[in-house]
């Protein structure tokens, strides 16, 4: 038999058993082997570029991770120093009280040994020191009570389609500060306020809306450019920056749980993100949000957060009473509760 190479009639020398199984003459089998080797080298060379790219990519990620880790360590250090300062400042004042106490104690020893006489001024010093200590003690308690009395009343995740259509995908409430019967009226009003403010907030906008001049409550809202929105309703003492940090966290968590492609097809109240109730519980104390503040780089300056009132948020010609009357979020009982609370300026009403 002759060589299988085209136009070759030389006798077969050997067969390419590992590749094409052609039977070739000596010249063409050597040529074939060289060709295969060249092809293999070229393929191997082609692997160098993507391998180098992967290597560079991982090196870049490593650098980013290292930089981010240093930032986190710096932040933890700063937070630690801040917390230490918070503790040390009162200790400095307390040490001054102790120094004054020690000074008076030494004075007492001198009086007992008849080195000096007991005078009216000595009693005045003790009285003054006692008042200063009690005043400082009360001021520390007042600061603690201020934190403890801050309240997050509700958190909502919503989706805004078009100019106004808004769906509430998930909600959580903390109504422990209200009486049992009040809760049945308050909760629908919170839902109504969340939907109303979100409908009137443009895409890509943050704002904090005062519910009413007679009410100690703020509606914090952030509508992302992709239409996902979150609302936090809290009392006015709750730090605005913390509230808006939580808004971003809630939406990031929701996006991880439900991809954007699913939002338009979700029905009302179908979100089941377990972390929402944990956020509402954990961040009743705003100090718990300190680690989150570093992550929200877009909130370094709160001047970008619009501040408004509910009346200003409403469109021209709209009245809150008319919106309440037409709202499907409010039952007959809730509307009656609203009217009664409105007339009496009850603290539990939001409008």
């Amino acid at each position: 038999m002759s060589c299988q190479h085209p136009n070759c009639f030389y006798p077969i020398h050997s067969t390419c058993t590992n590749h094409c199984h052609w039977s070739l003459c000596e010249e063409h089998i050597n040529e074939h082997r060289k060709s295969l080797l060249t092809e293999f080298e070229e393929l191997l060379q082609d692997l160098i570029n993507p391998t180098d790219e992967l290597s560079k990519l991982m090196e870049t990620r490593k650098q980013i991770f290292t930089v981010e880790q240093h930032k986190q360590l710096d932040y933890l250090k700063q937070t630690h120093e801040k917390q230490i300062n918070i503790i040390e400042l009162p200790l400095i004042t307390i040490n001054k009280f102790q120094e004054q106490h020690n000074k008076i104690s030494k004075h007492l020893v001198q009086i007992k040994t008849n080195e000096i006489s007991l005078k009216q001024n000595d009693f005045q010093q003790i009285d003054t020191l006692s008042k200063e200590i009690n005043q400082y003690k009360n001021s520390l308690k007042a600061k603690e009570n201020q934190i403890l009395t801050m309240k997050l009343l509700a958190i909502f995740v919503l989706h805004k389609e078009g100019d106004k259509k808004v769906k509430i995908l998930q909600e959580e409430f903390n109504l422990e500060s209200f009486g049992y019967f009040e809760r049945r009226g308050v909760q629908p009003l919170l839902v109504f306020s969340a939907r109303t403010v979100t409908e009137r907030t443009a895409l890509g906008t943050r704002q904090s809306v005062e519910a009413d001049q007679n009410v100690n409550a703020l509606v914090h809202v952030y509508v992302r450019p992709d239409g996902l929105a979150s609302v936090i309703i809290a009392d006015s003492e709750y730090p605005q920056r913390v509230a808006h940090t939580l808004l971003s966290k809630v939406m990031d968590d929701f996006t991880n749980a439900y991809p954007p492609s699913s939002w338009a097809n979700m029905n009302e109240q179908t979100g089941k993100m377990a972390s929402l109730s944990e956020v509402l519980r954990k961040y009743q104390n705003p100090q718990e949000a300190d680690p989150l503040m570093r992550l929200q780089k877009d909130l370094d300056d709160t001047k970008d957060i619009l501040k408004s009132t509910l009346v200003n948020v409403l469109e021209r010609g709209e009245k809150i009473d008319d919106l309440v009357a037409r709202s499907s979020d409010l039952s007959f009982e809730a509307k009656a509760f609203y009217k009664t609370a409105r007339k009496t300026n009850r603290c539990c009403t939001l409008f």
Side-chain angles (χ1 to χ4, degrees):
M1 294 181 65
S2 61
C3 176
Q4 288 184 281
H5 190 280
N7 302 321
C8 180
F9 302 99
Y10 285 100
I12 294 172
H13 178 270
S14 59
T15 301
C16 176
T17 56
N18 297 324
H19 185 252
C20 60
H21 300 287
W22 278 24
S23 297
L24 302 170
C25 66
E26 183 176 4
E27 178 184 352
H28 286 131
I29 196 71
N30 291 332
E31 183 182 296
H32 182 60
R33 287 171 180 167
K34 289 180 181 179
S35 175
L36 288 177
L37 183 60
T38 300
E39 182 181 354
F40 183 77
E41 287 178 341
E42 289 175 352
L43 290 173
L44 186 61
Q45 185 67 30
D46 289 342
L47 290 177
I48 293 177
N49 290 336
T51 303
D52 287 345
E53 289 176 3
L54 286 172
S55 178
K56 290 178 182 178
L57 176 63
M58 295 313 297
E59 283 295 330
T60 302
R61 288 185 178 179
K62 181 180 177 181
Q63 291 174 3
I64 293 173
F65 176 78
T66 302
V67 170
E68 186 63 25
Q69 189 177 43
H70 284 308
K71 287 182 180 178
Q72 291 180 12
L73 290 173
D74 289 341
Y75 174 78
L76 289 174
K77 182 179 178 181
Q78 292 172 7
T79 302
H80 174 73
E81 291 175 351
K82 181 180 177 181
Q83 295 297 328
I84 290 296
N85 288 335
I86 291 174
I87 295 172
E88 285 184 343
L89 287 175
L91 286 176
I92 292 173
T93 303
I94 293 169
N95 286 336
K96 289 180 180 179
F97 290 149
Q98 290 175 336
E99 288 174 3
Q100 293 181 54
H101 179 272
N102 292 336
K103 185 177 179 180
I104 295 174
S105 296
K106 290 179 181 179
H107 195 68
L108 177 61
V109 172
Q110 290 178 311
I111 292 172
K112 285 183 175 181
T113 57
N114 295 321
E115 295 179 33
I116 57 176
S117 301
L118 181 63
K119 299 179 181 179
Q120 182 65 30
N121 185 53
D122 297 325
F123 289 97
Q124 291 177 350
Q125 286 184 6
I126 292 178
D127 184 57
T128 300
L129 181 59
S130 176
K131 288 180 179 178
E132 289 178 355
I133 291 173
N134 286 328
Q135 286 177 356
Y136 191 69
K137 182 179 177 182
N138 291 335
S139 69
L140 291 178
K141 285 185 176 180
K143 289 180 180 178
E144 290 180 0
N145 290 335
Q146 184 181 14
I147 293 174
L148 292 174
T149 55
M150 294 176 184
K151 294 184 183 68
L152 288 177
L153 299 177
I155 300 180
F156 299 85
V157 180
L158 313 93
H159 183 233
K160 185 171 185 178
E161 299 177 79
D163 292 335
K164 271 200 168 186
K165 187 179 179 183
V166 170
K167 291 186 297 187
I168 296 178
L169 303 180
Q170 191 172 349
E171 61 189 19
E172 288 289 339
F173 300 93
N174 171 35
L175 304 179
E176 294 177 358
S177 58
F178 298 100
Y180 175 77
F181 293 104
E182 284 182 328
R183 295 176 194 175
R184 298 168 65 181
V186 170
Q187 182 167 324
L189 285 172
L190 295 176
V191 174
F192 168 76
S193 61
R195 195 189 303 273
T196 300
V197 173
T198 304
E199 287 174 346
R200 290 153 181 81
T201 301
L203 296 178
T205 303
R206 294 179 181 272
Q207 62 176 336
S208 294
V209 179
E210 292 180 6
D212 186 272
Q213 61 181 356
N214 298 316
V215 180
N216 182 30
L218 282 171
V219 181
H220 305 281
V221 60
Y222 176 29
V223 182
R224 291 196 323 201
D226 59 10
L228 192 66
S230 185
V231 169
I232 284 178
I233 301 179
D235 61 21
S236 60
E237 282 79 22
Y238 199 88
Q240 182 190 53
R241 190 168 185 267
V242 175
H244 280 271
T245 298
L246 295 181
L247 291 176
S248 296
K249 170 181 169 51
V250 166
M251 285 189 284
D252 288 343
D253 290 347
F254 194 86
T255 303
N256 290 333
Y258 298 94
S261 58
S262 67
W263 300 339
N265 297 322
M266 292 179 69
N267 294 323
E268 290 254 343
Q269 310 292 349
T270 53
K272 304 295 181 184
M273 185 174 62
S275 62
L276 195 62
S277 59
E278 174 63 16
V279 168
L280 186 62
R281 183 197 64 78
K282 180 178 180 180
Y283 296 107
Q284 290 295 329
N285 180 359
Q287 291 181 350
E288 291 288 340
D290 281 349
L292 292 175
M293 307 297 273
R294 171 183 54 82
L295 302 177
Q296 301 301 329
K297 297 176 182 177
D298 57 329
L299 284 177
D300 286 341
D301 194 342
T302 55
K303 68 182 181 182
D304 293 332
I305 302 173
L306 300 177
K307 297 177 183 178
S308 186
T309 63
L310 186 62
V311 173
N312 292 335
V313 168
L314 300 181
E315 296 178 355
R316 179 176 295 182
E318 286 186 319
K319 294 182 179 180
I320 188 63
D321 289 347
D322 294 338
L323 292 178
V324 168
R326 296 197 305 266
S327 174
S328 59
D329 288 322
L330 300 176
S331 63
F332 175 81
E333 182 182 37
K335 291 176 182 178
F337 175 85
Y338 161 79
K339 291 179 180 179
T340 302
R342 183 79 162 165
K343 289 178 181 178
T344 58
N345 280 334
R346 292 283 299 280
C347 63
C348 57
T349 180
L350 291 175
F351 305 102

